[in-house]
Amino acid sequence: MATMTLSRLRQARYAILGFGCNQAFLFAMLYLGSYNESSQHGFLIDRADLLCVLLVMAATFALMTCERRRRHLMVVAEGLVRCYALPLVGALYLIVALHSLAPGIPWLALAAVEGLAAGVPLALLLCRWGRVLGEASIDQSVPEVFIGSALGAAVCFFVVAIPVEGAYILLYVLPVGSAWALRALGEPADRDAETATIDDPTEEATKLSGRIIAGTVVYGLATGAVEALATSAEGGAASSLSVTFVLFVLYCAAALQLYGGRPLSVGVRAVLPTGPDQEVGPLGGAYRLAILLMVGGFVAVPLLESVGVSGVAVVLAGYLGVFSVLVSLFLIMGRIGGGDAARSFARGFAALFAGEITGVLIGGIVGAIPGTFDVSAALVALAGVAVLYAYLFLFTDRDMAALSVVIAQSDRFEEACDLIARTAKLSKREAEILPLALRGRTAERIAGEFFISKNTVDTHLRRIYAKCGVHTRQELIDLGERTEAEL
């Protein structure tokens, strides 16, 4: 038991440090720095750097939703991890050097090249983290996401606080830390290759996944509209980002309090309610808290601006909170779907960044409309309505409660399979076939998933029946249901 605990703690340390490096680098690419040093400014001009990264990442994630392309791209991701992401770091510093040595190069070209050089590797690293975090239990991976994200924001805060222009380029070395942690955690199993482990999601799980994706698009749309206000031309941009990162760290600290004093301790449930009177678990509370912070920023924008504090900074802090919740939900989507979390990461982030791009473009269009009306007020109102709509009608507290039920059922089924396999002393292959047999898969389908003959499957099934003391498939299913009920 001591060895298992030590292994769990070591895995958590690597995951938190590595994912924190990855998040800090992501925040840097999205919010820090710009090659635009000209006097020309505007909604789209000042967000060109952001749009270039988002467009490349969204396209990469969209490609990865296709199983065949995802396999090829994950091979590239594995190569990137093996070389500690040094090609990515070298490319970024080369672009910085070119900008310094040849100031005549068009800044938009530099932004486009940086978006391509950073966007693809960053998307691949995120999916690789999805696969690694998806290997751990939800109860462990969800707190790791929040702690790692808080660590990344803290690193960005300290870099922004450095009174040196261009200090943010120090963050370009962080992919090395992300890749180092991924190497230390080891190469996870390719769930797409092991098709036998993929289980058909239930109708409820499929519906909840669809609602998560729908909510993700709307949250991205609202954030993009707000980001159209946070232009690099805005005075005090560095101080606004400092407020964003500080508030986000405080949010993560508050969210982790919902897990108790030791969020990574054995027995802490990340999603399920911890008391009989609770409808949702800690993740549901974190979801509410992030929405409250985001909506509070919308409401307080005029008041905060009057005292010299950017209301947009508060909204973006709330968005980073929602972002962390969404990462956790993408992990859960992979879990209840029975497949590779890299696939759910690809789907989720493609939706999120597509919505964000659309929001930025809408902000640019609204800003270009001639007239005397307050553009900021219009965009804030649009984004606020979108967030409230997503929370009240797309992915709600009721959906979060339903999600906890789906996860509980999934946990009980897996625990029942493990208990039956241990009690009956099934072989490794028999233990792999057992869940499919309990789900009512035919021998032909099991054979196709394992790439073995039907006769071999029949032989394994007869051995499973004998070891479990049953005679038919129905009796085996009844045994599984009784075991689940006892658990």
Side-chain angles (χ1 to χ4, degrees):
M1 182 66 179
T3 303
M4 290 179 61
T5 303
L6 182 63
S7 176
R8 177 187 173 98
L9 291 176
R10 183 182 292 114
Q11 190 274 345
R13 291 191 190 103
Y14 283 129
I16 290 170
L17 289 174
F19 191 68
C21 288
N22 206 77
Q23 290 294 84
F25 179 65
L26 175 64
F27 298 156
M29 295 308 304
L30 294 181
Y31 305 117
L32 302 180
S34 173
Y35 290 108
N36 182 19
E37 298 175 352
S38 67
S39 59
Q40 185 181 9
H41 293 287
F43 277 101
L44 293 180
I45 293 175
D46 288 322
R47 302 318 297 159
D49 304 77
L50 171 68
L51 282 171
C52 288
V53 176
L54 288 177
L55 283 167
V56 173
M57 292 187 69
T60 305
F61 284 124
L63 288 174
M64 294 189 75
T65 57
C66 172
E67 180 179 336
R68 186 172 63 178
R69 294 193 184 102
R70 182 169 62 254
R71 289 187 183 182
H72 294 313
L73 288 171
M74 289 307 290
V75 171
V76 177
E78 207 56 51
L80 188 65
V81 170
R82 281 197 294 269
C83 65
Y84 293 101
L86 290 175
L88 166 60
V89 175
L92 291 177
Y93 280 117
L94 178 61
I95 295 171
V96 172
L98 286 175
H99 177 57
S100 177
L101 297 174
I105 298 177
W107 67 269
L108 187 57
L110 288 174
V113 172
E114 184 184 70
L116 185 62
V120 174
L122 187 48
L124 297 179
L125 287 174
L126 269 172
C127 283
R128 184 65 164 75
W129 272 110
R131 181 170 286 179
V132 167
L133 293 172
E135 288 289 298
S137 68
I138 293 298
D139 297 330
Q140 181 174 353
S141 60
V142 170
E144 288 171 354
V145 166
F146 280 93
I147 299 173
S149 298
L151 177 62
V155 170
C156 288
F157 168 77
F158 285 115
V159 171
V160 170
I162 297 176
V164 177
E165 185 178 357
Y168 66 89
I169 67 172
L170 295 173
L171 298 174
Y172 286 177
V173 77
L174 289 178
V176 174
S178 175
W180 165 80
L182 287 169
R183 287 198 63 168
L185 290 168
E187 185 176 351
D190 185 351
R191 292 297 183 88
D192 286 330
E194 297 177 4
T195 53
T197 64
I198 299 178
D199 188 26
D200 293 331
T202 63
E203 181 180 351
E204 181 69 14
T206 302
K207 182 172 68 174
L208 287 171
S209 294
R211 294 176 76 87
I212 291 172
I213 293 297
T216 296
V217 173
V218 176
Y219 288 129
L221 176 69
T223 303
V226 172
E227 284 173 337
L229 297 176
T231 62
S232 58
E234 176 187 299
S239 61
S240 296
L241 285 172
S242 296
V243 172
T244 295
F245 292 133
V246 168
L247 287 177
F248 176 60
V249 171
L250 293 176
Y251 160 79
C252 290
L256 288 168
Q257 293 301 309
L258 300 171
Y259 297 86
R262 301 179 63 187
L264 289 172
S265 60
V266 177
V268 173
R269 306 309 295 267
V271 180
L272 302 182
T274 55
D277 298 327
Q278 289 183 274
E279 294 182 0
V280 295
L283 184 60
Y287 183 47
R288 290 174 177 172
L289 187 60
I291 297 299
L292 179 63
L293 180 59
M294 202 170 183
V295 173
F298 288 130
V299 174
V301 163
L303 176 63
L304 292 172
E305 298 288 352
S306 67
V307 296
V309 177
S310 173
V312 173
V314 180
V315 175
L316 289 180
Y319 166 68
L320 294 182
V322 173
F323 183 92
S324 299
V325 172
L326 290 175
V327 171
S328 303
L329 291 174
F330 298 159
L331 289 171
I332 293 171
M333 284 167 55
R335 172 70 177 275
I336 63 180
D340 186 359
R343 176 175 55 185
S344 60
F345 262 48
R347 287 182 60 207
F349 281 118
L352 179 65
F353 291 149
E356 202 167 341
I357 292 167
T358 304
V360 173
L361 294 177
I362 289 175
I365 293 172
V366 172
I369 297 176
T372 58
F373 72 97
D374 190 338
V375 174
S376 298
L379 289 177
V380 168
L382 171 68
V385 169
V387 168
L388 287 176
Y389 177 80
Y391 181 67
L392 295 175
F393 300 105
L394 291 180
F395 191 73
T396 66
D397 274 346
R398 182 178 297 178
D399 295 318
M400 187 69 78
L403 187 64
S404 68
V405 173
V406 172
I407 292 175
Q409 293 172 344
S410 175
D411 287 345
R412 281 199 301 270
F413 178 76
E414 291 184 5
E415 291 172 7
C417 291
D418 291 340
L419 180 58
I420 293 172
R422 289 197 309 271
T423 303
K425 298 181 179 179
L426 300 182
S427 68
K428 180 181 178 180
R429 177 62 83 185
E430 291 163 356
E432 291 172 342
I433 290 177
L434 177 64
L436 304 181
L438 291 176
R439 291 294 193 193
R441 298 281 180 88
T442 63
E444 289 83 358
R445 185 169 179 183
I446 296 174
E449 292 181 348
F450 280 102
F451 300 103
I452 56 180
S453 69
K454 177 180 177 297
N455 290 336
T456 302
V457 173
D458 289 334
T459 300
H460 284 306
L461 288 174
R462 284 195 296 270
R463 290 173 180 169
I464 292 173
Y465 297 160
K467 292 180 179 180
C468 293
V470 299
H471 301 89
T472 65
R473 175 73 71 91
Q474 187 57 52
E475 290 182 8
L476 182 65
I477 293 174
D478 292 342
L479 173 63
E481 291 177 349
R482 288 196 304 271
T483 305
E484 282 191 70
E486 290 170 0
L487 293 172

